[in-house]
Amino acid sequence: LPNVILGTLGNPSWAGYFHSLVKGCSELEELHLDNWVGTEQITSLTATFSGCPKLHTLSLLGWDCSNITSMHAQWLFDQTKALVNFTGFPNIKVDFDMSMCVNLSAQSIENIVRNLGDLTGATTQTCKLGTTNWNKVSDDIKAIAVNKNWTLA
């Protein structure tokens, strides 16, 4: 299935650990997981979108990522270099790494920055998108992240 839309998943029983949702779906090109109920219960994401070399669009609109305490970055988007369009991780407050997604659009990077949780007064976290991606957006967009107490890498 190259395109999957799974909107409004009703009242799931999350265990907090969200692992390998579509890992290894080598033909998957688009994935829309908008408005899932219960995402505020997710505390860890690991290998969730890895091994999807053709995935170019990923939408997580309506997710609540405020309780995620661990994003295993080295596996989360491993082998997902085709990703261009990304909407997601609203209110994320932990280090994450999408630097391997070198084809992200400027709009996707802006979406990521605007969705970062405000860490003012809290421990600084790192938003690692890599030089290739950061060069696609203006200093004003980067300043939004820095003003929320994020380190850019």
Side-chain angles (χ1 to χ4, degrees), residues 8-87:
T8 317
L9 184 65
N11 201 19
S13 175
W14 301 110
Y17 185 70
F18 206 59
H19 180 71
S20 301
L21 176 68
V22 293
K23 180 180 179 181
C25 291
S26 61
E27 297 301 315
L28 184 64
E29 296 174 6
E30 285 190 49
L31 182 60
H32 298 268
L33 304 175
D34 302 333
N35 301 313
W36 276 24
V37 174
T39 55
E40 73 281 352
Q41 296 175 43
I42 299 171
T43 57
S44 179
L45 291 174
T46 302
T48 311
F49 310 107
S50 70
C52 301
K54 294 182 181 179
L55 183 64
H56 63 77
T57 299
L58 175 60
S59 179
L60 306 174
L61 287 173
W63 279 43
D64 178 353
C65 296
S66 60
N67 290 317
I68 293 175
T69 57
S70 176
M71 290 180 71
H72 299 280
Q74 66 270 34
W75 303 300
L76 188 62
F77 288 98
D78 184 43
Q79 299 173 15
T80 310
K81 293 180 180 181
L83 191 61
V84 174
N85 305 305
F86 178 76
T87 306

Side-chain angles (χ1 to χ4, degrees), residues 81 109 114 147:
K81 293 180 180 181
I109 297 164
R114 292 192 185 282
N147 289 336

Side-chain angles (χ1 to χ4, degrees), residues 68-129:
I68 293 175
T69 57
S70 176
M71 290 180 71
H72 299 280
Q74 66 270 34
W75 303 300
L76 188 62
F77 288 98
D78 184 43
Q79 299 173 15
T80 310
K81 293 180 180 181
L83 191 61
V84 174
N85 305 305
F86 178 76
T87 306
F89 297 150
N91 206 26
I92 194 74
K93 296 179 180 175
V94 295
D95 293 333
F96 68 96
D97 183 351
M98 290 182 72
S99 61
M100 67 289 300
C101 302
V102 295
N103 293 306
L104 287 172
S105 69
Q107 183 61 57
S108 294
I109 297 164
E110 184 175 341
N111 291 339
I112 292 167
V113 168
R114 292 192 185 282
N115 279 313
L116 293 172
D118 190 345
L119 300 174
T120 303
T123 302
T124 300
Q125 300 294 319
T126 301
C127 177
K128 186 174 181 180
L129 299 180

